[in-house]
Amino acid sequence: AQSVTQLDSQVPVFEEAPVELRCNYSSSVSVYLFWYVQYPNQGLQLLLKYLSGSTLVKGINGFEAEFNKSQTSFHLRKPSVHISDTAEYFCAVSDASNTGKLIFGQGTTLQVKP
Amino acid sequence: DGGITQSPKYLFRKEGQNVTLSCEQNLNHDAMYWYRQDPGQGLRLIYYSQIVNDFQKGDIAEGYSVSREKKESFPLTVTSAQKNPTAFYLCASRTQGASTDTQYFGPGTRLTVL
């Protein structure tokens, strides 16, 4: 069985500072990895994904993530955050099977302060 | 304008009533999914369907039912057997393929039991 752990439930940061949201996963098979963002009372928006190839993945809004197979991690980073980045962020893993089922972490609330 | 629509946005239900949440997509995706989100938690899979007239239970299917009579539509019924139905419900559809496997989400329906 797979699982996802987001190591921080809340991350406060000042505007224009860098940020890292941590995600670890466990799986005995090959995986696909995703980061989604959710603004209040809205659905999830895809930030970026790792399916194969380069382990450094760039997404929308200046975010990037690095797939580290040996450490089973997929941490999300942004070099300089804006107030508008305040939201809930979810890491998810799929076992790359035909079902496409996603297992989600508990979420990390990013709070950007002026 | 392609995408996933969910209706209604807010839904109130009395105890003992069944309610049906709508999910429609015009992305021509074969696979569709229903997730439940509770405060401070990640998303949990209720049901999924990979093709018309076929669907499978997810991790928390008890008290829910679905149908998939058309490719575009995947309605979810919350029955009176669901003991704690108050939650935010998200529908997703999936583009499949080794380089494109991704789930895209609708805006969600917030269900409150009175």
Side-chain angles (χ1 to χ4, degrees):
Chain A
Q2 299 166 306
S3 66
V4 177
T5 302
Q6 292 184 240
L7 297 160
D8 305 293
S9 59
Q10 294 189 357
V11 174
V13 64
F14 287 105
E15 193 174 18
E16 298 184 6
V19 70
E20 178 180 81
L21 306 184
R22 298 180 293 168
C23 173
N24 285 96
Y25 69 93
S26 66
S27 177
S28 58
V29 298
S30 296
V31 296
Y32 295 156
L33 293 156
F34 304 84
W35 276 99
Y36 288 89
V37 60
Q38 184 180 35
Y39 300 100
N41 292 312
Q42 295 187 25
L44 272 65
Q45 180 183 4
L46 179 70
L47 274 178
L48 48 77
K49 61 186 176 185
Y50 171 81
L51 303 182
S52 64
S54 174
T55 57
L56 181 62
V57 180
K58 295 189 183 297
I60 62 170
N61 300 340
F63 284 94
E64 64 179 33
E66 185 158 16
F67 170 53
N68 188 320
K69 189 174 182 180
S70 62
Q71 296 187 5
T72 60
S73 68
F74 191 54
H75 300 333
L76 181 70
R77 303 184 181 98
K78 186 170 183 178
S80 175
V81 294
H82 302 137
I83 294 288
S84 59
D85 292 323
T86 295
E88 186 87 13
Y89 291 80
F90 291 97
C91 180
V93 62
S94 166
D95 64 3
S97 72
N98 194 41
T99 68
K101 293 193 294 182
L102 289 175
I103 303 298
F104 284 86
Q106 303 283 68
T108 296
T109 301
L110 176 62
Q111 302 164 322
V112 181
K113 304 176 180 180
Chain B
D1 189 21
I4 303 170
T5 57
Q6 291 186 242
S7 61
K9 186 172 177 63
Y10 297 97
L11 185 58
F12 298 91
R13 188 193 95 171
K14 293 182 179 180
E15 286 193 21
Q17 285 183 334
N18 293 354
V19 291
T20 296
L21 283 59
S22 170
C23 177
E24 304 277 334
Q25 55 100 359
N26 61 4
L27 301 169
N28 200 34
H29 291 166
D30 286 316
M32 298 185 73
Y33 305 79
W34 273 106
Y35 294 89
R36 169 182 172 138
Q37 184 179 24
D38 294 284
Q41 297 188 33
L43 282 67
R44 292 180 290 168
L45 182 64
I46 305 172
Y47 267 97
Y48 65 102
S49 169
Q50 295 180 262
I51 198 166
V52 173
N53 292 322
D54 188 44
F55 48 83
Q56 287 77 40
K57 293 181 179 180
D59 300 319
I60 56 165
E62 185 176 353
Y64 299 97
S65 65
V66 293
S67 62
R68 188 84 187 279
E69 297 177 2
K70 298 188 299 181
K71 188 175 185 178
E72 300 80 16
S73 179
F74 190 39
L76 173 74
T77 296
V78 184
T79 75
S80 57
Q82 169 50 235
K83 298 304 179 188
N84 185 23
T86 294
F88 191 48
Y89 291 86
L90 289 156
C91 176
S93 68
R94 171 178 166 232
T95 178
Q96 296 172 251
S99 62
T100 61
D101 199 311
T102 303
Q103 287 189 31
Y104 296 93
F105 287 80
T109 292
R110 186 167 298 281
L111 172 63
T112 302
V113 174
L114 303 174

